[in-house]
Amino acid sequence: MRSPSSSAATLPPDGTGTGKPPPGCADLFLGFLGLGLMGFGGVLPLARRMLVENRRWLTPDHFTELLGLCHFLPGGNIINLSVAVGLEFRGVAGAVSALLGLILGPTAVVVGLGVLYDGYKDDPTLQHIFMGLAAAAAGLLVSTAWKMLWPLRSRPVALAIVLLTMLAIAVLRLPLLPSMAVLAPLSILATWRFSR
């Protein structure tokens, strides 16, 4: 990720190599506004589709790199990603635009639905609806994980780190922070060592 200060002034003509011009603040706001309003069950799967496939602001590799960075930062991944993408293209103004676009619509919707849920949370029909939504959200996450994994298919070192991470977190159930404290430097070192 480029530093915020580099932002638009030093962007290449085609943004990040996608062939598209870099988005302005209004584009960032509207893009993330739509993303936030469509992202019931989690917007991460839709974020990749919007950023990489529909608007082509980022290449698949660049999206994977940014998301990987955001995973290691405190806070929600998608919040971090919106700020990172905004900073990437338009500096602080872009980060604020993207963040506001992401949270404005969902905040209003969630407050309204929360009021309704509080009044009808014991209704069996409503419980079935939420179970169905949870299953769909899990499917979206699996789909996104597959799409993120695909660009790494020709990088055995990266695949080895993926397997080690899955083994540590999902199988051995080791604590997240100590696992990341070991695996992140290992990944950086291995990538640096074997990419030369």
Side-chain angles (χ1 to χ4, degrees):
M1 183 176 67
R2 284 180 286 273
S3 65
S5 59
S6 65
S7 67
T10 57
L11 282 172
D14 63 347
T16 57
T18 62
K20 299 279 287 185
C25 289
D27 298 322
L28 291 166
F29 176 83
L30 292 175
F32 279 95
L33 178 68
L35 186 63
L37 289 172
M38 290 187 301
F40 286 90
V43 298
L44 196 54
L46 299 178
R48 188 187 184 284
R49 180 176 300 173
M50 188 272 283
L51 292 168
V52 176
E53 299 171 14
N54 294 344
R55 295 180 184 260
R56 292 195 299 152
W57 290 344
L58 302 176
T59 63
D61 286 348
H62 198 175
F63 176 83
T64 300
E65 292 170 1
L66 274 183
L67 187 60
L69 173 66
C70 292
H71 269 286
F72 287 100
L73 299 176
N77 296 330
I78 188 61
I79 295 290
N80 295 341
L81 185 64
S82 69
V83 173
V85 171
L87 281 172
E88 181 85 11
F89 291 111
R90 296 296 168 186
V92 174
V96 172
S97 301
L99 181 60
L100 282 178
L102 181 66
I103 65 175
L104 192 62
T107 300
V109 172
V110 167
V111 169
L113 288 178
V115 172
L116 287 176
Y117 179 75
D118 191 50
Y120 300 97
K121 60 186 175 186
D122 296 326
D123 187 316
T125 302
L126 190 62
Q127 292 174 355
H128 291 155
I129 289 174
F130 276 91
M131 289 175 64
L133 290 174
L140 287 171
L141 284 175
V142 171
S143 170
T144 298
W146 174 255
K147 288 180 178 178
M148 288 181 62
L149 192 61
W150 187 250
L152 304 177
R153 66 190 183 282
S154 59
R155 303 178 189 173
V157 173
L159 292 177
I161 295 296
V162 170
L163 289 176
L164 278 176
T165 305
M166 290 177 59
L167 180 66
I169 303 298
V171 178
L172 300 178
R173 297 185 179 275
L174 298 176
L176 178 63
L177 287 180
S179 299
M180 291 298 99
V182 173
L183 290 170
L186 178 64
S187 176
I188 293 169
L189 180 63
T191 302
W192 173 77
R193 174 66 179 84
F194 291 102
S195 64
R196 289 189 301 173

